[in-house]
Amino acid sequence: GRALLVLLLSATVSLLGGLIFGYELGIISGAVLQLQTDFHLSCFKQEVLVSAILIGALLASLAGGILIDRHGRRRAILVSNLVLLVGSLILTLARSFIVLVIGRMTVGFAISVSSMACCIYVSEMVAAHQRGLLVSLYEAGITVGILLSYALNYIFADVDEGWRYMFGLAIAPTIMQFLSILFLPVNPVKLSLWDSDCQKGLIPLQDTDDRAAAKREPYQEEHYSFLDLFRTRDNMRRRTLVGLRLVLFQQFTGQPNVLGYASTVFHSVGFQSKSSAILASVGLGAIKVVATLVAMALADKAGRRVLLMAGCVVMAISVTTIGLSSCMAPLAMARDCKAATDPNTSHSLTQHSPTPVLPQSALSPIPPLSGAGKSQASSGFAATRDLTKVSAGTRSKEVVPSSSLTQKRDLVGQSKKGTLESTGLPLDAAPWTQHMVLNWITLLSMMAFVSAFSIGFGPMTWLVLSEIYPAGIRGRAFAFCNSFNWAANLLISLSFLDLIDAIGFSWMFLLYGLMGVMAVIFIYLFVPETKGQSLEEIDQQFSRK
């Protein structure tokens, strides 16, 4: 009974950790639309506010590894919960822009530490044949959290200062996770510190070999320094290269940007305004949830290596198809940003643009219209949307298709502000609707890409990272790779439009396809299968040259 309780609590901690992560990344896309009016935010301030969570996450990636290794995974999660509570209270009670930025940075630091500690903690808590399922549960939690944030954005769209409720509701799952982990034992890596019940085997989380290996591991911790990640000892350099290449390929295959024009594709196949927004956000989000559940079921059966390669193959085919179809049915990209600080004009949209026009650092797909004027504050919404996409894309990581949510929030805002004009575009007015078959092919390719990422790179990258390093340096190694993941995501997202200007949209996606092929080759040659193996066995496998 005790073992089942611990198993259920481990699953709860993993699921709630992912849910909080996804919720915090997705909620800003709706909250900032109210904040823009309440605080008269310029485009630049909106970018700063939404990117603040990224700054906090990067700081956590640099410092969180030391916290996880020196003070334990369980304590790191507890600390991250407390920091997240403080950040949520700061945001809920904020009265100035500076306080909002501080609150978002605090939240970013907390969810980044929690994301690393949860994956490592759960991987070490459970038996080898359950590890893939429970670590992947974190990824499922992220997708559920994103969908939950969409729903709450919609519910509080017409509520005065609804953003306070949006930020404040994150407190509930944080408290639940804090209470859940209080009833869990310390990490099995610290098995010698367990109480007498655990020493007597009353919590048989892992088999005899795993427990014996766990007892030996604490004595290895002092033998590893951060620089050992780059040395040949125990083949650590190869492990580091495997981890870094996995997170970099996860980003360089295009996942931060592929969903950036989801709403445009939905418009092109006949869905208008609100329907397009709901389908692009909730519809694709639901596909991600289902695909992640499939990954959870297959992680311990098919194996990590098989799912990674299969996902990469489908992703490569999908982005290549999008690139080829866009040659014949192009989707134009526009970038501009002028945010009005006058409350009376803060919600005006140009009549013809179905999505706000963007800043240089953001991505906004709009149909190729002639003479479409520049939007005002709505262009700031686009900037916000894209930086939200940057943040969300990082951990998974996940892409929050918040461009669609922005449209949905705009539409809801009609009833409240009364200043939004129609964002619909008559299909017969768009020349690119002549390519209906190609548009549907693009849409199906996008769905295939979402599914493939959620089955392969999404959950499997972080599962493998939580397995391949020795316990004594696992936290620092995970954090080191995670910092590259955040940085690569930011780089790709901010350089996307410049690359399109240089080589063209179609060639950009064909390049993503090529990176997918390279990722398949890399996984086949260098990433071993770890399913069904204890962490000690995986360590020995990597230690052999």
Side-chain angles (χ1 to χ4, degrees), residues 22-215:
Y23 180 84
E24 290 290 359
L25 292 177
I27 201 67
I28 189 64
S29 60
V32 78
L33 299 177
Q34 295 184 351
L35 292 170
Q36 195 272 347
T37 301
D38 293 347
F39 290 88
H40 303 166
L41 300 182
S42 64
C43 179
F44 173 74
K45 285 186 176 181
Q46 291 179 62
E47 293 180 359
V48 171
L49 177 60
V50 182
S51 60
I53 197 171
L54 175 62
I55 297 172
L58 281 172
L59 292 175
S61 295
L62 298 175
I66 298 176
L67 171 65
I68 293 171
D69 278 341
R70 291 188 178 178
H71 300 285
R73 291 73 158 120
R74 179 175 179 270
R75 187 173 297 176
I77 298 175
L78 290 173
V79 170
S80 72
N81 288 153
L82 295 176
V83 174
L84 185 57
L85 286 174
V86 172
S88 297
L89 288 174
I90 291 174
L91 289 170
T92 304
L93 304 175
R95 295 292 179 182
S96 68
F97 171 72
I98 297 299
V99 174
L100 286 171
V101 172
I102 294 174
R104 287 299 285 176
M105 288 181 62
T106 304
V107 166
F109 186 94
I111 64 174
S112 182
V113 171
S114 177
S115 68
M116 297 182 291
C118 279
C119 290
I120 296 174
Y121 183 78
V122 173
S123 72
E124 294 173 339
M125 284 295 296
V126 299
H129 66 278
Q130 299 168 328
R131 193 167 56 241
L133 171 67
L134 291 189
V135 175
S136 298
L137 191 61
Y138 187 94
E139 191 74 17
I142 292 178
T143 58
V144 173
I146 291 173
L147 284 178
L148 178 62
S149 70
Y150 289 161
L152 292 178
N153 280 339
Y154 194 92
I155 290 172
F156 292 109
D158 287 332
V159 178
D160 288 335
E161 294 193 337
W163 55 271
R164 296 189 187 275
Y165 299 100
M166 298 178 190
F167 290 138
L169 285 175
I171 294 175
T174 303
I175 293 176
M176 291 174 62
Q177 188 187 39
F178 184 90
L179 295 177
S180 298
I181 204 168
L182 284 179
F183 293 97
L184 284 170
V186 297
N187 199 306
V189 170
K190 305 289 187 182
L191 191 60
S192 58
L193 303 179
W194 282 18
D195 58 32
S196 58
D197 286 345
C198 298
Q199 291 283 22
K200 295 175 183 177
L202 297 183
I203 305 180
L205 295 180
Q206 303 185 352
D207 57 31
T208 305
D209 293 338
D210 287 343
R211 293 176 63 83
K215 289 180 180 179

